Amino acid sequence: MANTAFQPRVFSGIQPSGGLTLGNYLGALKRFTTMQNEGNFETIYCMVDLHAITVWQDPETLKRNTRELCAGFIASGVDPEKSILFNQSQVPEHAQLAWVFNTVARMGWLNRMTQFKDKAGKNRENASVGLFAYPSLMAADILIYHATHVPVGDDQKQHLELTRDIAAKFNHDYGVDFFPITEPVIEGAATRVMSLRDGSKKMSKSDASDMSRINMTDDADTIAAKLRKARTDPDALPSEVAGLAERPEARNLINIYAAFSDMTPEQVLADVGGKQFSEFKPMLAELAVSKLSPISSEMSRLMQDQGEIDKILSRGAERAREITEPILAKTYDIVGMVR
Ligand code: AQP
């Protein structure tokens, strides 16, 4: 098989399954903007509403969350002129390719996905088939653009490995070199922002406790209060990263500080080592508010013009389909569909 050279292209998405969290911002959005502005890649970003409905969503809330997520992308620095920004269900080729990938992915592969196990919980028999097949749709999201790089948080690593397996099996089964073997981009201090209430759990938009997360729409007082009440231990901060090994909550707050200030955790600890949390938490709150407030005000401004958001999404979908239609057509041809 020839070793096809693929154009450097980034794809990533976020579910409109609730309001955006600090985890989504530091683990995903902030890096989406950097990759867009570096100019080494064509960048494509998506609100993955088809993924969101794998767990029941109230229809009106889903619409609102999708538009608010679009506002969140733009307010965080994703420019709909520089990047392609759109909503997944407006580009039907995602779901069409996902069906083909459902025939390529193996039950055993999907059975190993930890996110399914976590989200389905004890009542697996009652989980939707969509939740089980989620990684096949995610592979389709990426590969329908022949994306070469995918910036994600650490929790998505296993799904990215599955995407690579699906691409490789498709290429092998049909004797082609059609889909790229995508590289995950999991970098920086905040690839896994943890809950503020439990340092062993990921910060998540669907966590029952609002105190566990910082929402992108929280006001300055709420952000400061949540950080003040964040669970920590009684010791002072260490001066070196090794001192965080058994202290997940302390490590989380240092990582958040590092990500906001574009420093490494080592550099942060060189400055704040020896301080008590009573001194460090207000510093972190001030930094967080200074970075998040402009984003949340811009989000509320954008949300006042729903028509404009819908226009941006339609235009993004049109641009996306210029890429997805020929890739789907070629896929169908490879698989043997009469066209
Ligand atoms: N806590 C996190 N730390 C770092 N990155 C995170 N991401 C999510 N949470 C964190 C990254 O954000 C991107 C979009 O994620 P998603 O919304 O599509 O799905 P998710 O990972 O399942 O996020 P949530 O907040 O936990 O949503 P729910 O509660 O609906 O499941 C991904 O790149 C993800 O890694």
Side-chain angles (χ1 to χ4, degrees):
M1 266 185 280
N3 195 11
T4 311
F6 293 93
Q7 172 185 340
R9 192 177 269 162
V10 160
F11 174 90
S12 200
I14 299 186
Q15 298 185 76
S17 48
L20 280 169
T21 71
L22 181 64
N24 297 134
Y25 176 67
L26 294 177
L29 284 166
K30 186 168 181 284
R31 291 182 312 127
F32 294 175
T33 306
T34 312
M35 292 187 96
Q36 165 195 273
N37 294 339
E38 280 168 356
N40 301 327
F41 298 95
E42 181 178 10
T43 45
I44 304 172
Y45 299 124
C46 180
M47 279 116 265
V48 288
D49 57 351
L50 296 173
H51 281 282
I53 60 165
T54 57
V55 174
W56 191 83
Q57 306 288 325
D58 172 71
E60 283 312 310
T61 311
L62 178 61
K63 284 182 189 166
R64 187 185 156 79
N65 283 340
T66 303
R67 292 185 174 113
E68 191 179 89
L69 178 53
C70 180
F73 268 101
I74 297 170
S76 303
V78 173
D79 177 343
E81 295 300 319
K82 288 191 193 161
S83 294
I84 300 179
L85 183 63
F86 69 100
N87 186 32
Q88 187 185 28
S89 60
Q90 289 179 283
V91 180
E93 290 76 19
H94 287 241
Q96 289 173 287
L97 185 62
W99 181 257
V100 176
F101 286 170
N102 279 339
T103 69
V104 174
R106 306 287 94 182
M107 292 290 287
W109 298 359
L110 294 175
N111 265 327
R112 285 193 287 276
M113 294 297 111
T114 54
Q115 182 170 297
F116 175 72
K117 291 180 197 162
D118 292 346
K119 288 199 174 177
K122 289 200 177 77
N123 199 359
R124 272 220 219 176
E125 292 296 308
N126 201 34
S128 72
V129 174
L131 189 65
F132 185 71
Y134 184 114
S136 260
L137 177 58
M138 182 163 157
D141 296 336
I142 296 164
L143 295 172
I144 195 69
Y145 297 94
H146 281 181
T148 54
H149 293 78
V150 180
V152 278
D154 186 58
D155 59 317
Q156 295 299 326
K157 195 171 172 186
Q158 197 185 29
H159 288 166
L160 257 293
E161 278 159 14
L162 193 103
T163 297
R164 293 162 63 93
D165 290 343
I166 289 177
K169 183 163 165 53
F170 181 97
N171 288 345
H172 174 266
D173 288 357
Y174 292 100
V176 291
D177 192 10
F178 186 60
F179 288 115
I181 308 300
T182 304
E183 290 296 331
V185 184
I186 303 174
E187 286 168 356
T191 55
R192 187 177 279 261
V193 178
M194 307 310 278
S195 156
L196 298 178
R197 306 306 297 163
D198 176 352
S200 67
K201 258 173 74 183
K202 188 186 84 149
M203 183 181 286
S204 183
K205 39 177 125 65
S206 55
D207 193 300
S209 161
D210 192 58
M211 292 302 285
S212 71
R213 62 177 163 264
I214 292 176
N215 305 301
M216 296 295 286
T217 47
D218 283 343
D219 62 25
D221 289 346
T222 310
I223 294 173
K226 285 180 175 176
L227 287 171
R228 199 170 52 245
K229 290 190 185 147
R231 187 170 148 187
T232 41
D233 55 49
D235 297 338
L237 284 162
S239 301
E240 289 178 8
V241 171
L244 295 173
E246 303 300 323
R247 301 176 64 187
E249 283 87 11
R251 185 170 60 233
N252 189 35
L253 297 187
I254 292 294
N255 284 347
I256 293 173
Y257 193 100
F260 269 131
S261 52
D262 293 316
M263 290 162 84
T264 61
E266 287 79 2
Q267 288 167 325
V268 175
L269 287 177
D271 287 350
V272 304
K275 287 193 196 301
Q276 296 294 333
F277 282 106
S278 54
E279 204 182 335
F280 176 66
K281 283 176 169 178
M283 287 170 65
L284 177 57
E286 196 184 324
L287 177 64
V289 168
S290 74
K291 300 285 181 182
L292 296 179
S293 291
I295 300 176
S296 71
S297 350
E298 182 59 3
M299 278 173 77
S300 353
R301 192 190 67 75
L302 291 164
M303 279 299 280
Q304 280 162 17
D305 193 348
Q306 201 171 292
E308 184 55 28
I309 290 190
D310 290 359
K311 252 196 253 164
I312 290 171
L313 290 177
S314 306
R315 174 76 193 115
E318 262 172 47
R319 290 174 64 200
R321 296 197 73 187
E322 286 168 18
I323 303 174
T324 59
E325 282 177 342
I327 291 182
L328 185 77
K330 180 71 185 160
T331 308
Y332 277 178
D333 185 45
I334 291 170
V335 171
M337 309 280 174
V338 174
R339 311 277 301 145

